[in-house]
Amino acid sequence: MAAERMFRVQRQELLLGELRRHGAVRVSAFARELDVSELTIRRDIDALARRNLVTKVHGGATLPGPVDRTTRPRQAPQRFTVGMVVPSLDFYWPPIVGGARAAAAALGVNLQLRGSSYDPDEDRRQIGRLIEAGQVQGLLLAPSLEGGRAPEMIDWIGRLPVPTILVERQPERWTSTARQLECVRSDHALGMEMAVHHLHRQGHRRIALLLSKGSPTSAYLAQGWRVACADVGICDAMVIRESVALDTPGHREIIRGVLAECERSRITALIVHSDPDAMSVAQFCAEHGLSIPGDLALVSYDDEVAHLAEPSLTAVRPPKAHVGRVAVEMMVSRLLDGERRPSQRVLLSPELIVRHSSVAHVPVR
């Protein structure tokens, strides 16, 4: 029993450490990482929540918000209702939603969540429903801004009757809207610079970047890529703008072509967006006798499941939970201060998680 208690304490310390580093923990991912059941992790979260050390959210936990809940009645009335429309409710977005929910709970905000589908027309439908209900005082939006319809969408959002903040999206530096749109997002360009500088320090001078086709993140990654390559003096690095997503027909042939191009160009390191694509590359290398990192160093961008690969993948981790938190905090500030507060566009720095795929020996953390 004593050993069981000690293991429970150690497990909960690991969970708290993960929360301090990243702001949120997903039950499913953390259970896989510790090789225990999801029920075990839920019980740990329940125990920590009873001690006010964590905040339970759907599918996981976050750190408690900055507001001391003991100073408010247990059944405090909601001050504001804020709508949130995200393009998906899986993979990239749950930590952002979890961070937003934690901040909303701490600040006494009712958060109304809607899922869209990376389609501008669907974005408008979901936003319109929140507006028509007449209950939201503000909107947190992650609309589709790719292609020629982006200016039209920005103009439409700028004319909405309530304050709006873009989440993981950023408009042009200047827009024709009556007020300049606010936003909060991960600094993906900086994350790419971190990855390039890391590989350069490992001795790599011929590095390639594989971008996901159609991803709104790709433009920022390419921007950071160009800056970093110029900083370290890499002139012969290359960008391969083709996705190897697992649901792409013939994705193995695409991977084969990418690796053949790397061999022809004597590439020694490859940065891949995102985790599933990077894991596909790693698996293909293993099947064809290519050593990682010996023959090819590999860095992923996103760090959703990169630790599950073999070998575990070095990855850039966007601060997703904090993006959600800051978005809610910015909205509350806007609603309290009105037009007196200047517009804000906030960038949050990612983190580089070094694992076995980019260095021969990784210190145990």
Side-chain angles (χ1 to χ4, degrees), residues 17 21 37 48 80 106 113 136 145 204 214-215 217 237 264 267 269 283 288 317 327 346 352:
R21 286 192 297 273
S37 71
L48 293 170
F80 300 116
L113 178 66
V136 297
L145 296 179
H204 296 282
S215 169
T217 305
R264 284 193 297 271
I267 295 297
Q283 182 176 342
H288 291 78
R317 177 183 293 170
V346 177
L352 180 70

Side-chain angles (χ1 to χ4, degrees), residues 164-364:
T164 60
I165 294 175
L166 301 186
V167 180
E168 287 290 28
R169 301 287 187 267
Q170 184 169 332
E172 295 295 330
R173 185 174 178 83
W174 180 88
T175 64
S176 60
T177 54
R179 58 179 180 272
Q180 297 305 298
L181 291 181
E182 299 187 289
C183 67
V184 54
R185 68 170 179 85
S186 305
D187 192 344
H188 299 299
L190 176 59
M192 180 55 59
E193 292 181 55
M194 291 176 176
V196 171
H197 280 274
H198 164 70
L199 291 169
H200 189 264
R201 287 194 298 271
Q202 301 302 313
H204 296 282
R205 298 298 180 265
R206 304 182 76 88
I207 307 170
L209 168 64
L210 183 60
L211 294 173
S212 293
K213 185 177 181 181
S215 169
T217 305
S218 292
Y220 301 121
L221 298 183
Q223 175 189 352
W225 167 260
R226 289 189 293 269
V227 171
C229 288
D231 283 347
V232 300
I234 296 178
C235 301
D236 51 5
M238 65 178 185
V239 179
I240 308 171
R241 295 178 178 273
E242 189 170 27
S243 174
V244 292
L246 294 175
D247 58 356
T248 301
H251 75 276
R252 290 181 62 82
E253 286 69 30
I254 296 175
I255 296 174
R256 189 188 306 276
V258 167
L259 293 179
E261 179 65 22
C262 288
E263 183 178 6
R264 284 193 297 271
S265 303
R266 293 179 294 153
I267 295 297
T268 63
L270 179 64
I271 305 171
V272 182
H273 177 233
S274 57
D275 287 4
D277 296 354
M279 293 174 75
S280 292
V281 172
Q283 182 176 342
F284 191 94
C285 288
E287 293 171 356
H288 291 78
L290 295 175
S291 168
I292 297 176
D295 296 319
L296 183 71
L298 198 59
V299 175
S300 179
Y301 195 95
D302 264 356
D303 200 36
E304 285 280 350
V305 291
H307 64 287
L308 300 177
E310 182 59 43
S312 58
L313 300 179
T314 293
V316 178
R317 177 183 293 170
K320 301 172 191 175
H322 294 284
V323 167
R325 280 175 168 266
V326 172
V328 171
E329 291 165 0
M330 283 175 59
M331 178 56 72
V332 170
S333 174
R334 169 59 66 200
L335 293 172
L336 289 173
D337 295 340
E339 296 300 322
R340 292 177 297 170
R341 180 173 69 72
S343 295
Q344 298 182 78
R345 294 186 177 181
V346 177
L347 293 178
L348 300 178
S349 299
E351 179 182 8
L352 180 70
I353 310 299
V354 177
R355 300 190 180 99
H356 293 88
S357 68
S358 65
V359 293
H361 302 286
V362 180
V364 177

